[in-house]
Amino acid sequence: MASPALAQTKPAAPAAPAAPQAGAITPSHLALAKEVMLSSGIARSFDSILPAFGEQIRQAAVTRPELTKDLNEVIEKLQPELELQKQRIIDTASRIYANKLSEGELRDIATFFRSPSGKRYVETQPQVLDDMVQAMQTWTQEVSEYMMVRVRAEMGKRGHQLQ
């Protein structure tokens, strides 16, 4: 056991950078947050949402085939407006990053995403996430079964039978 004198001489852990204060986000801070948000690949998820909405509308109108041509034209005509809606969520997500990470942290992260390794990370992220979801499903099932077997065994030792 360490003596109190030694415990006092241990260097303190570095303090975590303070989160930015609300309203204290500079334009450069927000620009870095947007760069990180875009270069991290998160915006790809926004890209798939809007076409899905259009497809949902088309599916709802499938019983009225006479509307198909006009509906497709209307959805196509709305694309510039929908792009503005996508920019709104990009701006919101950028502000969230800026509120959670300091400008220095965002600068470091942006530097990583500009690097070959960062670009490769973003490129492989969708497949990695798919593989992780699959692995998690298998793991969850295995651990669930393992835990039930172990709980039954331990409860059996205490004279209880579980089904």
Side-chain angles (χ1 to χ4, degrees), residues 34-47 97 113 118 121-123 125-126 129:
K34 187 172 186 175
E35 179 184 347
V36 165
M37 198 276 307
L38 290 172
S39 62
S40 70
I42 289 175
R44 287 188 300 228
S45 61
F46 307 146
D47 291 337
Y97 267 103
F113 283 127
Y121 172 85
V122 171
E123 177 185 312
Q125 192 177 29
L129 292 174

Side-chain angles (χ1 to χ4, degrees), residues 71-142:
L71 185 58
N72 287 337
E73 288 173 3
V74 166
I75 290 172
E76 183 62 32
K77 182 180 176 187
L78 291 175
Q79 290 308 305
E81 292 176 50
L82 297 175
E83 181 60 29
L84 290 174
Q85 294 300 322
K86 184 176 92 172
Q87 290 306 312
R88 277 186 47 220
I89 191 61
I90 287 172
D91 291 344
T92 298
S94 299
R95 190 158 295 281
I96 290 168
Y97 267 103
N99 281 321
K100 301 293 182 194
L101 298 163
S102 72
E103 191 167 348
E105 290 166 329
L106 288 165
R107 190 174 299 104
D108 292 345
I109 295 166
T111 298
F112 168 71
F113 283 127
R114 286 184 213 121
S115 74
S117 295
K119 289 176 182 176
R120 180 77 176 128
Y121 172 85
V122 171
E123 177 185 312
T124 61
Q125 192 177 29
Q127 186 59 50
V128 167
L129 292 174
D130 287 347
D131 292 353
M132 286 174 63
V133 166
Q134 186 175 2
M136 285 290 293
Q137 289 171 341
T138 301
W139 175 82
T140 300
Q141 182 64 36
E142 290 170 355

